[in-house]
Amino acid sequence: MNTTDKQPKEGLGTTKEPDIEDFKTTENQTKGTVAALKGNGHFEEGRFKEAVKLYTEALEASKEVQNPDPRLLINRATALLRLENYEECLQDSDEYIHMLPNCWKGHIRKALALKGLKKALLSACSAAIAYYHDADRCRRYEAFHNAFKDTENIWAAIGSSESLRNTLTRNDNPFAKKKILLLQGAKYEVSQVPRLKLYTSLVALTKDQPAMFRTELLYISSNCCFENINFETKDGVLVPPGVKAEFDRCKFHCASSEKPAIQVGGTASFVKCEISNSKGGGIIVGGGPNALASFKKCRVFGNGATPRYSSGIRVYENGTAVVQDCVIYGNSEGIHIYGSPQYVLPKEVKVTGCEIYDNKFEGIIVVGAPNALASSVTIQENKIYQNGGYGVRVSLCVNDLLFQRNIVFENAWWGIWVQCNSGGKYKGNQICNNKMGGLRAGKQSPEKIACVIENNVIHDNGGPAFHEELRYFEGYAFPVQLQDTIERQYVEKHMKLFGFREGVELPMGSDVPLPVMVTASFKSNNQCFQNGIERDQSKQSTCQSKCSFCFRLDVELEFCDHCGVTMYCGKECQALHWKRHKYVCQAAGQRNFIDVCIPIDQPPPIHSRVSSLHPGLESTNPTSPSPPPKDGGRFIVKLQTHDGCVNAQTFDSKGYTSNDFDPQKATVIVYDQSRSVEFEISDRPKIYYIILEYGILGASLYLSKKLYCWAAFKDDETLRIFTRDFPAVQNW
């Protein structure tokens, strides 16, 4: 049996190439060699399952003494191919190519496996690479040549930008002679063409160094595939309706501040790709009647500048997206699923096994549309954490939404916020350590189906585990006939509370009744503990046995060197958490207090204040209790953030944030129960983050947080706020 890898002599081109590699019996008879020889015997007899088992045994033995023998990998791949186990054959082929990238054998098996998986574009590209490395051997490998003989004459190797431009010019039609271009160099510049129409697949030959492809706008005009290409574009990559594109180990960056890195109106698949640092957003899927995109093991990060229009992944009008085992972080928003202005929703979205974290606003947003047809959204088995707004926000949802077996933690606002007239099923999730609260559900109009919340574990959130209400600003979510009633009730309620009725046409003493709203079905099998007021603000979270950033608990944790309080599973998590943790770290570890200047124009003393909106709270007034001591003695102050109003403008909860929630600009009110001390401070992120970390949700149960602290006058102009330990929660 001929096993040499050398080029055959002239005249031997008709010799049939052997399927498997031989293992000579004269070699040292190790356990692996014996198993390999037996495996070859089984293969020749057509007993492929037994051959796979013995090759696997030989590979395990090979690992004990040295690196895996590549011959074992290629033999096992061949046996798996005979068994039509294409997925595992593909894995072995890729591992073989990683070890011997310039050997034709791995590319042949990979091409055949991809063809078996019905991935015609990628299989043709792998076949072209095999021909490039050894065309004569490829012709002699009967099964391969029969499958790919038409591929032999449709590829070309390209070594320079000039050669690429010339080839693309000749190929500027749907019937291009060279449909697969193998890029040999590192950089290719074709930016002279403002709108490059591409009919050709591109593959980088050097596996450890991708080829950079730089252009203005790349318009993919026919079915193509791309492997190991870095796309640097000015206006993005466009996959129009009717076109299929496959991307394997590619990277995308778009310089435009308005356009995303990729727009998919046709069909596209992304495997082990990176979409990063594009201000106009990462990927948009939708707009075409059958727009479909799948993402597997991709990284989507650093995209976007404006919420709603620059998410990491955005799915809208008629779009279908499957996002699996991806990492989505550092974007303006993680994933945004919504309807078009014409109220056309995506068809179907599935997000499974992903990590969605550290996005500036929400991790995931699902937005429906009034009077739109339902679409299916499934979000399961994901980690959604450390996002700057809600972990998950559901708004105007008329979708078939299933949210199950996720872990949602350490988000700056609520873990899950379901707005009024929105629904879905929330099952088997862990929702914990979110700064405002666990899960909030809004009321729904009478014709809606109840939101179902069951079998969740909700713990250690800064507010209630579950809260349900109707907030006035969410009136827009209801049908038109209900909106007027909700507004009239709001006006009537507040006119009574504040004791005046100027300009109100309602008769004195009348009430505006709302119809019976649909309430959420919050099942008794939900486990809720250590939420909101149950938390002792003077103690750390009960989850300190887990990494403070990613919540891993299967590794040994290390304390932060600075504060000695927060724990991490490694340096990477500590670095990612530092932009938030540094303020709490400085307060908790490096110093025991923060000094703040008392504004000279602080308001005059108030006789008495009673909360009309929250009558359960005690009053604050200048006589009871006594004013705080001026001799440096300690007293209690409340630090409280705003609830979403600046200059009487209501916070827009549809995806934007005001300065109230910007840690660098947020305003915090400071006062004691006597109101002798009462002033506002801003631009103090250290104080803001301490409130988020250790405080509890305000009485409004919305987005305001409060923290009671010990304080003392340092002098007439300076108040010292102590941050090492905190008093018990007060009722004022």
Side-chain angles (χ1 to χ4, degrees):
M1 194 179 291
N2 181 18
T3 60
T4 179
D5 283 342
K6 294 182 179 179
Q7 186 74 16
K9 295 180 180 179
E10 291 293 331
L12 298 179
T14 58
T15 305
K16 183 179 178 181
E17 191 66 32
D19 279 333
I20 56 174
E21 300 290 299
D22 195 10
F23 295 87
K24 296 179 180 179
T25 57
T26 55
E27 297 176 5
N28 293 331
Q29 295 297 298
T30 63
K31 180 181 177 181
T33 305
V34 172
L37 286 166
K38 289 182 179 179
N40 281 7
H42 286 314
F43 186 95
E44 297 293 350
E45 295 170 3
R47 299 164 63 187
F48 303 119
K49 287 185 179 180
E50 291 83 351
V52 168
K53 183 177 180 181
L54 285 164
Y55 291 142
T56 303
E57 183 181 321
L59 277 164
E60 292 300 320
S62 163
K63 291 178 182 178
E64 294 176 4
V65 293
Q66 57 183 10
N67 292 329
D69 188 331
R71 295 176 299 175
L72 294 169
L73 281 169
I74 206 66
N75 283 4
R76 188 170 69 176
T78 308
L80 290 166
L81 199 59
R82 293 294 186 89
L83 292 168
E84 299 184 357
N85 190 337
Y86 300 121
E87 288 285 0
E88 292 188 27
C89 174
L90 187 59
Q91 293 175 17
D92 278 359
S93 301
D94 275 332
E95 190 171 348
Y96 181 89
I97 292 169
H98 179 74
M99 298 172 70
L100 299 172
N102 298 323
C103 180
W104 57 279
K105 297 176 183 178
H107 299 289
I108 276 182
R109 273 69 171 188
K110 182 175 181 178
L112 290 169
L114 288 167
K115 188 176 182 66
L117 292 169
K118 303 188 183 305
K119 297 184 178 181
L121 295 173
L122 290 171
S123 66
C125 289
S126 291
I129 298 173
Y131 278 118
Y132 169 83
H133 286 300
D134 199 324
D136 191 44
R137 290 282 184 83
C138 289
R139 295 186 196 104
R140 297 190 313 177
Y141 197 98
E142 187 175 344
F144 173 80
H145 190 60
N146 289 339
F148 294 102
K149 57 187 175 184
D150 293 337
T151 305
E152 185 173 0
N153 298 316
I154 64 171
W155 64 270
I158 305 295
S160 67
S161 296
E162 182 179 1
S163 177
L164 178 61
R165 286 193 293 269
N166 292 337
T167 304
L168 292 178
T169 301
R170 291 194 299 269
N171 286 353
D172 194 15
N173 65 77
F175 308 101
K177 183 179 180 181
K178 301 300 181 185
K179 295 185 178 180
I180 301 172
L181 302 182
L182 306 180
L183 306 185
Q184 299 169 297
K187 293 183 180 180
Y188 294 84
E189 181 77 47
V190 288
S191 57
Q192 295 86 344
V193 184
R195 182 185 175 94
L196 177 63
K197 292 185 177 181
L198 193 66
Y199 301 93
T200 306
S201 298
L202 302 177
V203 179
L205 283 169
T206 307
K207 296 301 178 184
D208 57 351
Q209 181 180 359
M212 180 180 291
F213 187 88
R214 184 173 292 161
T215 187
E216 299 282 313
L217 169 66
L218 181 60
Y219 187 96
I220 300 174
S221 301
S222 66
N223 296 351
C224 298
C225 73
F226 306 89
E227 287 189 53
N228 213 21
I229 308 295
N230 284 5
F231 293 96
E232 294 281 342
T233 61
K234 181 179 178 182
D235 293 316
V237 176
L238 177 61
V239 182
V243 170
K244 179 179 181 180
E246 298 182 39
F247 301 91
D248 188 355
R249 291 169 291 118
C250 293
K251 296 182 180 180
F252 301 84
H253 168 71
C254 178
S256 172
S257 61
E258 299 178 354
K259 297 181 180 179
I262 312 161
Q263 299 180 62
V264 179
T267 301
S269 66
F270 303 85
V271 179
K272 297 182 179 178
C273 293
E274 285 189 5
I275 302 95
S276 65
N277 301 314
S278 299
K279 290 184 178 179
I283 303 172
I284 294 180
V285 183
N290 296 297
L292 167 65
S294 64
F295 307 88
K296 188 172 183 179
K297 297 183 178 179
C298 295
R299 296 174 68 231
V300 184
F301 61 93
N303 300 289
T306 306
R308 296 183 69 190
Y309 301 104
S310 57
S311 312
I313 298 176
R314 184 152 52 106
V315 191
Y316 76 119
E317 180 182 341
N318 286 321
T320 298
V322 178
V323 187
Q324 182 179 357
D325 299 329
C326 294
V327 181
I328 303 166
Y329 65 97
N331 305 285
S332 178
E333 299 163 338
I335 299 176
H336 196 137
I337 304 162
Y338 72 109
S340 69
Q342 292 75 35
Y343 305 135
V344 181
L345 299 178
K347 290 181 180 177
E348 184 177 12
V349 180
K350 291 183 178 180
V351 183
T352 306
C354 298
E355 289 199 41
I356 303 166
Y357 64 91
D358 199 33
N359 297 287
K360 185 176 180 181
F361 297 94
E362 284 86 346
I364 298 179
I365 305 173
V366 182
V367 181
N371 305 316
L373 296 175
S375 62
S376 174
V377 177
T378 302
I379 303 169
Q380 61 186 12
E381 298 171 359
N382 304 283
K383 290 176 67 175
I384 305 166
Y385 60 103
Q386 298 285 354
N387 296 290
Y390 304 107
V392 178
R393 179 165 62 84
V394 179
S395 175
L396 280 177
C397 183
V398 295
N399 300 323
D400 176 14
L401 172 64
L402 176 62
F403 189 88
Q404 65 181 358
R405 299 192 300 276
N406 302 280
I407 174 170
V408 184
F409 62 94
E410 286 288 347
N411 297 285
W413 298 354
W414 289 74
I416 302 173
W417 178 273
V418 183
Q419 286 195 256
C420 284
N421 236 29
S422 303
K425 300 179 181 68
Y426 305 84
K427 301 180 178 182
N429 304 285
Q430 183 179 179
I431 307 166
C432 60
N433 291 79
N434 299 287
K435 304 305 182 184
M436 300 298 178
L439 190 152
R440 182 270 192 185
K443 303 283 188 180
Q444 299 198 70
S445 51
E447 74 279 4
K448 298 279 284 190
I449 299 173
C451 176
V452 177
I453 304 159
E454 63 178 326
N455 202 30
N456 301 283
V457 180
I458 311 174
H459 63 92
D460 287 282
N461 296 287
F466 170 73
H467 177 60
E468 185 174 29
E469 64 170 342
L470 189 162
R471 297 193 71 86
Y472 169 67
F473 68 77
E474 294 175 279
Y476 71 90
F478 291 96
V480 175
Q481 61 268 26
L482 268 181
Q483 291 183 22
D484 181 61
T485 303
I486 292 170
E487 183 172 0
R488 285 163 60 85
Q489 187 193 66
Y490 176 84
V491 171
E492 174 70 10
K493 176 181 177 181
H494 283 75
M495 294 306 99
K496 287 181 178 179
L497 285 171
F498 293 107
F500 62 91
R501 306 181 54 79
E502 183 178 352
V504 178
E505 299 178 0
L506 296 172
M508 180 68 72
S510 67
D511 288 319
V512 182
L514 283 175
V516 178
M517 295 288 193
V518 175
T519 58
S521 175
F522 187 82
K523 302 293 183 65
S524 60
N525 59 6
N526 291 290
Q527 300 178 48
C528 306
F529 53 91
Q530 286 294 112
N531 295 286
I533 203 68
E534 301 169 1
R535 302 172 71 196
D536 185 344
Q537 66 171 25
S538 65
K539 295 180 180 179
Q540 293 293 314
S541 165
T542 59
C543 290
Q544 280 297 299
S545 59
K546 300 177 182 178
C547 174
S548 294
F549 185 79
C550 73
F551 264 35
R552 282 189 65 183
L553 49 71
D554 58 343
V555 295
E556 185 175 349
L557 303 178
E558 296 182 1
F559 283 103
C560 169
D561 294 336
H562 302 288
C563 68
V565 174
T566 307
M567 302 177 74
Y568 299 102
C569 64
K571 296 295 183 183
E572 183 178 357
C573 277
Q574 185 172 9
L576 287 168
H577 197 214
W578 180 245
K579 64 182 178 183
R580 291 189 177 96
H581 172 63
K582 62 183 178 181
Y583 302 108
V584 178
C585 181
Q586 293 166 1
Q590 296 175 349
R591 298 178 62 183
N592 292 324
F593 57 84
I594 301 172
D595 287 340
V596 296
C597 295
I598 303 173
I600 297 175
D601 57 346
Q602 62 176 310
I606 302 296
H607 291 294
S608 180
R609 288 189 181 179
V610 180
S611 174
S612 57
L613 296 178
H614 312 291
L617 296 178
E618 297 176 7
S619 65
T620 54
N621 60 71
T623 58
S624 178
S626 302
K630 294 284 188 176
D631 59 359
R634 289 192 179 195
F635 58 96
I636 297 174
V637 295
K638 180 198 285 187
L639 311 180
Q640 184 151 3
T641 65
H642 282 284
D643 207 11
C645 277
V646 174
N647 298 325
Q649 296 180 357
T650 301
F651 164 67
D652 183 353
S653 66
K654 300 174 196 168
Y656 296 92
T657 186
S658 70
N659 287 347
D660 289 336
F661 308 106
D662 183 345
Q664 307 298 328
K665 302 176 183 178
T667 299
V668 176
I669 185 170
V670 182
Y671 64 95
D672 74 319
Q673 189 172 5
S674 73
R675 296 277 182 172
S676 300
V677 173
E678 183 177 4
F679 59 91
E680 290 185 345
I681 54 176
S682 59
D683 303 322
R684 298 298 294 268
K686 187 184 298 185
I687 291 177
Y688 181 82
Y689 274 112
I690 289 172
I691 298 171
L692 283 189
E693 185 71 20
Y694 300 117
I696 61 173
L697 201 63
S700 66
L701 299 181
Y702 182 33
L703 294 176
S704 171
K705 289 204 74 174
K706 58 186 177 183
L707 176 67
Y708 296 92
C709 296
W710 294 109
F713 285 104
K714 180 181 177 182
D715 52 47
D716 290 340
E717 299 177 350
T718 309
L719 185 68
R720 175 161 289 175
I721 299 173
F722 296 92
T723 58
R724 188 66 178 181
D725 60 324
F726 305 104
V729 174
Q730 307 294 298
N731 193 34
W732 47 271

